[in-house]
Amino acid sequence: MASPDKDLEKLWASLLKEMFKSHGWKHTSGIHYTYVNNHLYTFIMVKYRKKSLISAELSVKFIPLDDLFWTILGMDENSKKAFSLRVNGVFSLSSKSILEWDQEISPTLAEKDLYTAVEKTIHLVNEYKNTLIDDVSFFNFLVAHKNPKSLIDKNLYLMVLLYQGNISQAKEFLKAAMTTDTGGFCIGSKTFYELALDYCTLVKIG
């Protein structure tokens, strides 16, 4: 038998799914998403820490970065697979957080409070969709809101440099980053940053 907390969590998830769907958003594995001007926006409701509280996060990434990311990993075939792979695939590029917030949920007014979270998300996307329109605007957004301690931010910064053909800057970034980081994972015997450096060399040769 499911616990009362699990039942409540399922109810909230179901309500959120219907609310986002009414705005044209899609859903996969607990993540709500939409895409505008080649940018993917994702909303995640993190498992609530208390019965009256959820943690919500809205994130964004420039979609073409995924294709370059997969090229670097030797996984070009992923570009032809289901779009949902860009949302929550094991080897997909993580998105930049726009905003994280805690949302109070009243047991008696859950639908109203969840609606508030959804409307806040839609409002934010409507604001950003007019400014995030290409790789340049995404790069400017990333630099303006960069968290030096965030591996996600570092990797996105690197990917934009590579996407824009700034190979020299990318190599400088990698050489500095590789003294302390791997990029977060390995493919075979090579780290992500080692594979990215290999890509830089190939591009230079090409």
Side-chain angles (χ1 to χ4, degrees):
M1 178 182 293
S3 69
D5 285 355
K6 285 293 183 183
D7 287 340
L8 188 59
E9 189 178 333
K10 288 180 181 178
L11 173 62
W12 289 0
S14 177
L15 287 170
L16 278 174
K17 184 176 180 180
E18 289 305 311
M19 290 175 185
F20 274 109
K21 186 177 179 180
S22 70
H23 288 280
W25 285 49
K26 297 183 180 181
H27 176 269
T28 181
S29 302
I31 303 174
H32 307 274
Y33 68 95
T34 190
Y35 43 93
V36 186
N37 294 332
N38 243 352
H39 284 76
L40 171 67
Y41 295 87
T42 55
F43 173 91
I44 299 176
M45 181 187 79
V46 180
K47 184 183 292 185
Y48 57 95
R49 299 187 295 276
K50 303 176 183 177
K51 287 186 178 180
S52 61
L53 186 69
I54 64 170
S55 289
E57 181 176 17
L58 175 65
S59 302
V60 65
K61 69 176 170 181
F62 182 57
I63 294 173
L65 296 182
D66 280 325
D67 303 301
L68 177 56
F69 179 68
W70 288 325
T71 293
I72 291 170
L73 301 187
M75 300 178 179
D76 293 277
E77 67 278 4
N78 284 354
S79 295
K80 300 176 183 178
K81 294 182 179 179
F83 187 85
S84 59
L85 191 64
R86 300 175 186 269
V87 180
N88 69 333
V90 175
F91 288 107
S92 63
L93 195 60
S94 297
S95 297
K96 166 65 178 172
S97 178
I98 292 177
L99 183 67
E100 295 180 61
W101 74 95
D102 289 335
Q103 180 75 43
E104 291 287 344
I105 305 295
S106 166
T108 57
L109 297 171
E111 188 167 354
K112 177 178 178 296
D113 292 335
L114 289 172
Y115 179 79
T116 297
V118 172
E119 288 301 302
K120 182 174 185 173
T121 302
I122 300 302
H123 175 73
L124 283 167
V125 171
N126 284 338
E127 283 189 347
Y128 278 98
K129 74 179 185 181
N130 294 318
T131 54
L132 296 179
I133 56 174
D134 55 19
D135 59 294
V136 175
S137 55
F138 180 75
F139 184 71
N140 290 339
F141 164 76
L142 186 62
V143 170
H145 300 88
K146 188 178 178 184
N147 177 356
K149 296 182 179 179
S150 169
L151 183 60
I152 290 174
D153 286 15
K154 289 179 182 178
N155 288 350
L156 284 170
Y157 180 81
L158 168 64
M159 290 306 304
V160 177
L161 288 178
L162 293 174
Y163 181 83
Q164 294 178 338
N166 295 321
I167 305 303
S168 295
Q169 283 183 259
K171 289 180 73 174
E172 288 178 13
F173 167 88
L174 284 165
K175 288 177 180 178
M178 287 169 67
T179 61
T180 56
D181 292 327
T182 64
F185 62 91
C186 298
I187 300 292
S189 62
K190 289 200 170 186
T191 69
F192 168 51
Y193 284 168
E194 287 174 334
L195 290 168
L197 195 56
D198 287 346
Y199 174 81
C200 290
T201 302
L202 288 172
V203 172
K204 281 286 189 180
I205 293 174

